[in-house]
Amino acid sequence: RGHIHPSRLDHLDGIRALALMGVLLYHFELFWCHGGYTGVDVFLVLSGFLMTRNICNAIWQEAFSLKSFYVSRFWRLYPS
């Protein structure tokens, strides 16, 4: 069947939403919610996974450029 590399993994949106909810509830200082740090960890792991996946796909297609990777990262993070 070959490799399928969709550009977006919709099922990760739910995990991302749970991580975000953990962080938000933690910041509301609800005594029963201690998931703020876990939410940040999950979000960072997902980000690392997606960046690695994109790099591997670009290498597989022989289209990876370290310079373009860092330029795109700069412009993605610049507004924040």
Side-chain angles (χ1 to χ4, degrees):
R1 181 168 150 139
H3 295 285
I4 299 173
H5 298 288
S7 60
R8 180 154 180 87
L9 300 174
D10 293 332
H11 57 281
L12 293 183
D13 287 342
I15 297 172
R16 240 182 267 161
L18 288 175
L20 179 62
M21 289 301 295
V23 173
L24 289 176
L25 291 174
Y26 177 78
H27 282 289
F28 285 132
E29 296 181 359
L30 300 174
F31 66 92
W32 52 269
C33 183
H34 305 286
Y37 296 109
T38 304
V40 172
D41 290 344
V42 168
F43 196 83
L44 291 175
V45 167
L46 283 175
S47 295
F49 166 75
L50 292 171
M51 285 180 26
T52 302
R53 181 177 173 271
N54 290 340
I55 290 170
C56 288
N57 282 339
I59 290 171
W60 181 67
Q61 295 172 359
E62 297 180 4
F64 179 72
S65 164
L66 193 60
K67 180 182 175 185
S68 66
F69 170 75
Y70 280 114
V71 167
S72 68
R73 294 304 304 159
F74 172 78
W75 287 114
R76 180 166 173 84
L77 298 174
Y78 176 69
S80 57

